[in-house]
Amino acid sequence: MEIFRSLEDIPATLGNSVITIGNFDGVHLGHREIFRTVRKAAEQLRAVSVVVTFVPHPLKVVSAPKKQLRLINTYTEKETLIAASGIDCMLAIPFTESFAALSARAFVEDILVKKLSVALLIIGYDYSFGSNRQGNVSTLLELGREFGFKVRVLEPIGHDGLVYSSSKVRELIQEGDVAGVVPLLGRHFSLGGTVVAGHHRGAGIGFPTANIRTEKELVPASGVYAVKVKIDETIYDGACNIGNNPTFDNDESSIEVFLFDFAGDLYGKELRIYFVTRIRDERRFSGIDELKSAISADVSRCREILAATALMEYREYLERG
């Protein structure tokens, strides 16, 4: 997938395009269906499939407080997931206050028509855009007639009464329901990070943990999770604790993972944690012995759960249709 990070990056030779527009945070199954529709339409029209999105997320620029929204994906993750959906090109428009002031008509004429040569625009039923969200489906249909492109409006996408929604994904992850997001994402929720120095307590009680520093904004609720962890191309089962370690009265929240059947130095390594299910709340223990007993029970339960669980990551998510 070719990525244009500014309007100036778009080549004049791009040709006619089939476009969809959105933030696509989470790249859930609803987004995947939109991308599939765009890709198939582009093949039929012998056009280029294009996803138009924005960096940063518009709510981080025009809302108050601007940093309230926690994104499901990093921008790099979003690019990887969109590329996995078979899209030809992605335009990541730098979203600024001046861009937010652009009128709906100017956005369509200057970007979709003149820059991207849109032949077909595929959007959701409730899509709105432009300064003060003045543009909507009716606006696009009218502009499409004026400038000679077609507009296809998609109804809400879901399954068995469940509408796929980034807001719902975000809500479930914040509650710690990482198993509940799989039917919406089509894959296990994951975060990537670097192993950094921690407090070294785990090794002293027989459960050495890797302390993870991540750029991910959205992290599951505090608690203990059964996880699968990818290091290079090897997958390990493990248990992950997120929280303040109340037994030790830590001031800051941390992400620590204990890998089963692993020996070696992880400091400085990049790894990815895939969250399978939450097994309990984080809690304070009376002392080291009670803590060790609880961790042993956690590990046993995680082993049992993970032995019966196949990892679903974005490759499998793509292959499933």
Side-chain angles (χ1 to χ4, degrees):
M1 181 177 74
E2 192 170 3
I3 300 175
F4 310 129
R5 302 192 187 280
S6 72
L7 299 177
E8 290 71 28
D9 289 344
I10 303 170
T13 56
L14 183 66
N16 290 342
S17 62
V18 176
I19 299 173
T20 189
I21 309 169
N23 295 304
F24 306 115
D25 186 31
V27 191
H28 54 60
L29 290 176
H31 297 146
R32 177 179 122 179
E33 181 60 30
I34 294 171
F35 300 152
R36 183 185 296 111
T37 302
V38 169
R39 192 178 67 236
K40 288 183 177 179
E43 290 171 357
Q44 292 170 355
L45 295 175
R46 296 184 179 180
V48 178
S49 57
V50 179
V51 169
V52 176
T53 189
F54 309 96
V55 180
H57 192 293
L59 289 180
K60 291 183 175 289
V61 177
V62 299
S63 67
K66 292 183 173 60
K67 294 184 178 180
Q68 186 175 10
L69 179 71
R70 293 184 180 181
L71 297 180
I72 300 165
N73 291 131
T74 66
Y75 293 110
T76 298
E77 288 172 343
K78 183 168 79 168
E79 291 174 4
T80 299
L81 291 163
I82 293 175
S85 298
I87 293 296
D88 294 320
C89 303
M90 186 180 87
L91 170 60
I93 297 176
F95 197 89
T96 61
E97 290 187 1
S98 61
F99 183 84
L102 193 67
S103 71
R105 182 183 180 86
F107 176 78
V108 169
E109 183 176 5
D110 296 344
I111 298 176
L112 301 188
V113 175
K114 292 182 179 179
K115 287 287 188 178
L116 295 172
S117 301
V118 58
L120 172 63
L121 178 63
I122 297 175
I123 55 170
Y125 71 101
D126 60 349
Y127 181 70
S128 60
F129 66 105
S131 178
N132 297 317
R133 303 179 72 85
Q134 62 188 241
N136 54 31
V137 170
S138 296
T139 307
L140 287 171
L141 290 169
E142 182 180 336
L143 291 171
R145 287 189 291 269
E146 179 179 346
F147 290 108
F149 63 87
K150 294 183 178 180
V151 178
R152 186 183 302 174
V153 182
L154 301 179
E155 293 301 314
I157 301 171
H159 181 69
D160 289 340
L162 175 69
V163 175
Y164 302 129
S165 159
S166 297
S167 297
K168 186 62 177 178
V169 170
R170 199 173 290 114
E171 174 189 325
L172 291 172
I173 293 170
Q174 289 174 325
E175 292 172 352
D177 187 3
V178 293
V181 300
V182 174
L184 288 89
L185 290 176
R187 64 187 189 277
H188 288 112
F189 175 74
S190 71
L191 64 81
T194 306
V195 180
V196 297
H199 295 285
H200 306 288
R201 298 186 184 115
I205 60 175
F207 300 97
T209 59
N211 195 58
I212 310 302
R213 181 177 61 211
T214 183
E215 295 181 359
K216 197 87 158 184
E217 293 182 3
L218 185 66
V219 174
S222 295
V224 179
Y225 295 83
V227 298
K228 289 183 179 284
V229 181
K230 176 181 279 190
I231 304 173
D232 297 323
E233 291 302 313
T234 303
I235 304 294
Y236 298 90
D237 289 348
C240 179
N241 184 86
I242 298 177
N244 296 320
N245 290 297
T247 303
F248 299 103
D249 293 318
N250 284 358
D251 294 329
E252 297 182 356
S253 182
S254 63
I255 304 170
E256 299 176 86
V257 62
F258 171 57
L259 301 181
F260 308 156
D261 309 314
F262 175 86
D265 183 8
L266 286 173
Y267 286 120
K269 278 276 193 181
E270 298 290 326
L271 52 76
R272 180 160 292 274
I273 303 172
Y274 296 85
F275 292 86
V276 174
T277 193
R278 187 174 187 264
I279 63 170
R280 67 169 174 86
D281 293 336
E282 191 179 41
R283 51 175 288 215
R284 181 185 297 273
F285 296 98
S286 61
I288 297 299
D289 289 340
E290 188 182 13
L291 174 61
K292 288 173 64 176
S293 177
I295 295 176
S296 294
D298 294 339
V299 169
S300 295
R301 187 175 176 193
C302 288
R303 283 187 182 276
E304 182 180 356
I305 292 168
L306 295 168
T309 303
L311 173 62
M312 290 181 65
E313 52 181 335
Y314 72 88
R315 293 184 183 87
E316 285 72 22
Y317 137 93
L318 179 63
E319 291 167 2
R320 287 171 182 265

